[in-house]
Amino acid sequence: SLKSLETTLKNKNIYLMHNLDDFLISDDDAAFLETVFDKRAKIYPRGGHLGNLWYPMNKQNILEVFRPLLRDSSR
């Protein structure tokens, strides 16, 4: 159950990219994830299970998360 991981998922260092039509989660799970992750989530309407990792915009979204981490590591 994703709800059993709620405390861990609220960690501000954990981000989410997910698809609403992924067969592994229910509508309730998707709503829960949107609530827990809030702005740390990118939820796409389609893509299935890992089906949209190759879209250029999605690659940009991933880089937006990691770029600040690279800047912080240079200290």
Side-chain angles (χ1 to χ4, degrees):
S1 165
L2 291 171
K3 291 179 181 169
S4 68
L5 301 172
E6 183 172 359
T7 301
T8 301
L9 297 177
K10 286 184 176 181
N11 181 318
K12 300 300 179 198
N13 293 316
I14 299 174
Y15 294 81
L16 173 71
M17 294 182 76
H18 203 51
N19 304 308
L20 287 176
D21 65 348
D22 187 328
F23 65 91
L24 292 177
I25 66 166
S26 67
D27 291 343
D28 288 340
D29 289 335
F32 169 76
L33 290 172
E34 287 181 277
T35 300
V36 169
F37 281 91
D38 193 34
K39 293 179 182 181
R40 296 175 296 122
K42 288 283 187 186
I43 311 249
Y44 304 101
R46 290 177 301 283
H49 186 67
L50 299 174
N52 65 5
L53 289 176
W54 314 119
Y55 291 107
M57 187 62 191
N58 300 10
K59 289 179 186 179
Q60 281 302 119
N61 293 152
I62 292 169
L63 291 174
E64 287 171 14
V65 170
F66 287 112
R67 273 193 191 104
L69 299 174
L70 290 172
R71 282 192 291 269
D72 289 345
S73 70
S74 64
R75 292 180 190 180

